Amino acid sequence: MGPGFGARSGILTQTINDKAALYAAYMPYIRQGGLFIPTHKQYQLGDEVFLLLTLMDEPEKIPVAGKVVWITPKGAQGNRAAGIGVQFNGDDETARTKIESYLAGSLSSDRPTHTM
């Protein structure tokens, strides 16, 4: 029984249409990058998920495999959105590269995000 045994998997779709929403969702401090995905579904840390990500007006969905590394429960303090943080598995850098090019110049901002 290897890693991930018994972990539930799921397919999530996420569309991010503007830079402010992308900034709030992106988790650059996670190795290989990650995104916060608002959801009311229950996940556990370590669950493997598959994300179909649509960025801005791009016609193609970006497929991203990852795992849950952050959970904001429903009813969390500070009216934070319920959801999960998904760490990209690093096999394909497409999502991270595109996100970081959209956010060039704003990654060092002090504006709050969904997670920090």
Side-chain angles (χ1 to χ4, degrees), residues 3-97:
F5 178 79
R8 287 173 305 204
S9 63
I11 296 178
L12 299 161
T13 56
Q14 179 71 15
T15 300
I16 299 177
N17 292 320
D18 63 66
K19 284 187 183 181
L22 184 59
Y23 175 84
Y26 188 52
M27 303 168 81
Y29 46 83
I30 291 181
R31 192 166 48 86
Q32 299 155 345
L35 270 182
F36 178 82
I37 309 298
T39 182
H40 289 291
K41 287 185 182 173
Q42 295 295 310
Y43 288 91
Q44 304 295 318
L45 291 175
D47 282 355
E48 293 183 9
V49 294
F50 189 76
L51 177 62
L52 291 172
L53 178 63
T54 304
L55 289 176
M56 310 306 171
D57 296 324
E58 294 190 10
E60 301 286 317
K61 290 185 186 306
I62 304 167
V64 184
K67 70 177 179 181
V68 177
V69 296
W70 178 286
I71 297 173
T72 302
K74 191 174 168 184
Q77 200 173 334
N79 291 328
R80 291 204 175 270
I84 58 173
V86 176
Q87 178 184 24
F88 304 154
N89 72 2
D91 289 348
D92 183 348
E93 294 281 318
T94 305
R96 180 180 179 186
T97 303

